[in-house]
Amino acid sequence: MALRTAAKFGMALLQGFHRGVLKVATQKWGVGSRWESYLSVGVPATQKALQEDEMNVDRKSFLKHALPFSAFLTDGFGRQHDYLRISVTEKCNLRCQYCMPEEGVSLTPKPHLLTTEEIITLAKLFVKEGVNKIRLTGGEPLIRPDIAYIIAELRKLPGLRTVAITTNGINLSRQLPTLKEAGLDLINISLDSLVPAKFEFIVRRKGFHKVMEGISKAIELGYSPVKVNCVVMRGLNEDEVVDFVALTEKMPLDVRFIEYMPFNGNRWNFRKMVSYQEMLDRVKETWPTLEKLPSGKSDTAKAYQVPGFMGHIGFITSMSDHFCGSCNRLRITADGNLKVCLFGNAEVSLRDYLRSGASEEALLQIIGAAVARKKKQHAGMFSLSQMKNRPMILIGG
């Protein structure tokens, strides 16, 4: 019964996708009823059929759009979710102000967290449906003793192109050679200040020099670019934006300035948020020739580069100029809940379904229903600040 229901759900979404392709094809290329006959039965047009048609059609582009993506990972607005972020732990060795309350958080008891086997099982399922990039987050993922094993197991999944990690960098220098050997492709390192004392104030712990060593090690081992995430907060580090840009002159860094976002316990308020435009204006005061770089469809950052610099910068504008319309990301929390939106409070426990013995088909039905309910966009920063959501550390950065 679950399989038949899932199949019906999938076919309905797939037919909607095909109708969308037909509409685009008709508008762009004047494609007529012949294409409709191919698409109405859910079969992509073949190369032979393309050759038989005498219309001047951009064949390669049409085929690219005609290939159906998993119905279970496609939402009601046509967004295809091929990027999965998995939090592998709630624990962290820092206490960043924007990530968790000063008093800390209540950790989920270990029996209620996903096991290594469950993480791999869910990853396999999502990759099978079309996910091609997985990012491991936390907490601090490098605290987990089997993190290299998890990366190595993910690397074995057919169709998975990228395994990435987001880390605070404290343990990175020591562990990175092993992680690289396991198959780690991309690294994001959190760093919110270049002033050691200010760094300690923001993260409420020591460790600045360890983070810098981690960045150096990543460059040494050939990661390029090394992404550096900087959450910008008024009164704390907005005066360092230009200093961070200067780092990109001679190092292959992608420094990403992130607007301060509201989560439970981080005492967000609008006056502390520094907007993308304000940050951009600061940078242009020093480098008026700053150039905007092209971006991909699902890129979260607006990318720029100072001409002649080795690295580049980006702005993640979740609050002042959201990019919900091109969102391709899903999240699984350390306790096994699927979140289809970082800022949404709707969750479904994949852990519970897994442990109850649910079949793969039943899991896909649950995932598909959650993805289908994903909203068009988040509620806006002022509404979000009033909504109940997890602290960032319990979501996964």
Side-chain angles (χ1 to χ4, degrees):
M1 178 65 73
L3 178 58
R4 288 197 299 271
T5 304
K8 289 179 181 178
F9 175 77
M11 183 56 70
L13 281 179
L14 194 57
Q15 288 172 346
F17 172 78
H18 286 152
R19 286 194 295 272
V21 171
L22 176 62
K23 182 178 179 181
V24 171
T26 303
Q27 291 173 344
K28 186 171 183 179
W29 300 301
V31 178
S33 60
R34 177 168 189 162
W35 291 100
E36 186 172 6
S37 68
Y38 293 132
L39 293 175
S40 63
V41 295
V43 180
T46 63
Q47 185 63 34
K48 181 179 178 182
L50 282 166
Q51 291 171 347
E52 290 173 352
D53 255 283
E54 296 180 354
M55 295 177 292
N56 181 20
V57 187
D58 184 343
R59 293 167 171 80
K60 188 178 292 186
S61 181
F62 180 82
L63 284 172
K64 177 181 177 183
H65 289 89
L67 291 174
F69 186 80
S70 168
F72 297 103
L73 301 185
T74 304
D75 69 17
F77 301 95
R79 292 173 295 200
Q80 299 173 350
H81 298 80
D82 57 8
Y83 178 10
L84 178 65
R85 302 171 70 103
I86 304 175
S87 175
V88 295
T89 182
E90 295 177 346
K91 295 180 179 178
C92 189
N93 45 6
L94 298 182
R95 296 291 183 271
C96 300
Q97 294 188 25
Y98 52 82
C99 187
M100 70 160 72
E102 186 172 0
E103 64 275 13
V105 295
S106 298
L107 298 176
T108 302
K110 188 173 181 180
H112 300 312
L113 296 173
L114 289 178
T115 65
T116 302
E117 182 182 357
E118 288 169 337
I119 290 172
I120 302 303
T121 297
L122 288 173
K124 284 180 181 176
L125 182 60
F126 278 88
V127 171
K128 199 174 182 181
E129 290 300 305
V131 162
N132 57 47
K133 178 179 180 179
I134 290 179
R135 178 175 296 279
L136 302 177
T137 68
E140 171 48 42
L142 299 192
I143 284 179
R144 190 170 176 126
D146 62 350
I147 189 67
Y149 172 78
I150 293 174
I151 291 170
E153 290 300 298
L154 293 178
R155 272 269 60 103
K156 297 176 185 177
L157 301 181
L160 183 62
R161 295 201 292 260
T162 305
V163 178
I165 203 163
T166 296
T167 172
N168 60 32
I170 296 292
N171 297 329
L172 186 61
S173 179
R174 175 173 52 86
Q175 293 183 242
L176 189 53
T178 303
L179 302 181
K180 183 177 175 65
E181 186 178 348
L184 182 66
D185 298 301
L186 298 175
I187 308 170
N188 286 44
I189 303 170
S190 298
L191 178 64
D192 303 305
S193 178
L194 299 173
V195 180
K198 194 188 295 185
F199 170 91
E200 292 175 17
F201 178 75
I202 293 172
V203 307
R204 304 184 180 113
R205 295 291 187 275
K206 295 183 182 296
F208 172 78
H209 297 292
K210 288 184 178 180
V211 178
M212 298 306 290
E213 287 170 9
I215 293 173
S216 296
K217 177 62 72 172
I219 294 172
E220 176 190 324
L221 292 181
Y223 286 94
S224 181
V226 175
K227 292 187 177 182
V228 175
N229 292 344
C230 176
V231 177
V232 180
M233 296 167 285
R234 193 177 309 283
L236 283 180
N237 60 351
E238 84 276 19
D239 58 330
E240 294 188 63
V241 167
V242 168
D243 297 330
F244 272 98
V245 177
L247 288 179
T248 68
E249 181 176 6
K250 297 180 180 179
M251 290 193 285
L253 300 180
D254 176 6
V255 177
R256 292 141 60 88
F257 299 109
I258 303 171
E259 291 180 341
Y260 184 32
M261 299 176 283
F263 293 98
N264 274 21
N266 73 352
R267 298 183 180 179
W268 183 92
N269 80 55
F270 175 70
R271 290 186 295 276
K272 288 184 181 178
M273 194 203 79
V274 183
S275 72
Y276 146 64
Q277 190 60 55
E278 182 179 340
M279 290 186 270
L280 182 62
D281 290 344
R282 279 178 177 265
V283 176
K284 285 185 172 180
E285 285 177 8
T286 303
W287 293 283
T289 58
L290 184 73
E291 296 177 349
K292 195 172 193 317
L293 301 178
S295 57
K297 177 185 174 184
S298 298
D299 288 351
T300 57
K302 294 174 172 61
Y304 291 82
Q305 184 174 39
V306 178
F309 279 25
M310 182 182 295
H312 51 276
I313 64 172
F315 300 90
I316 298 181
T317 62
S318 305
M319 297 294 97
S320 67
D321 186 15
H322 71 75
F323 35 84
C324 302
S326 60
C327 182
N328 67 334
R329 292 167 297 285
L330 299 172
R331 287 174 165 79
I332 298 177
T333 62
D335 58 349
N337 280 10
L338 174 66
K339 283 180 73 76
V340 298
C341 175
L342 171 63
F343 300 107
N345 49 23
E347 302 180 358
V348 58
S349 177
L350 301 183
R351 176 202 66 202
D352 289 351
Y353 284 101
L354 265 180
R355 294 182 183 180
S356 69
S359 66
E360 183 175 297
E361 291 80 9
L363 278 170
L364 284 175
Q365 183 182 9
I366 296 301
I367 292 166
V371 172
R373 290 193 297 267
K374 184 168 180 173
K375 295 180 180 179
K376 184 177 181 180
Q377 62 191 58
H378 68 60
M381 57 185 165
F382 295 110
S383 296
L384 291 174
S385 66
Q386 304 300 317
M387 287 172 55
K388 188 171 180 58
N389 195 3
R390 295 181 182 226
M392 176 58 98
I393 191 168
L394 298 183
I395 297 175

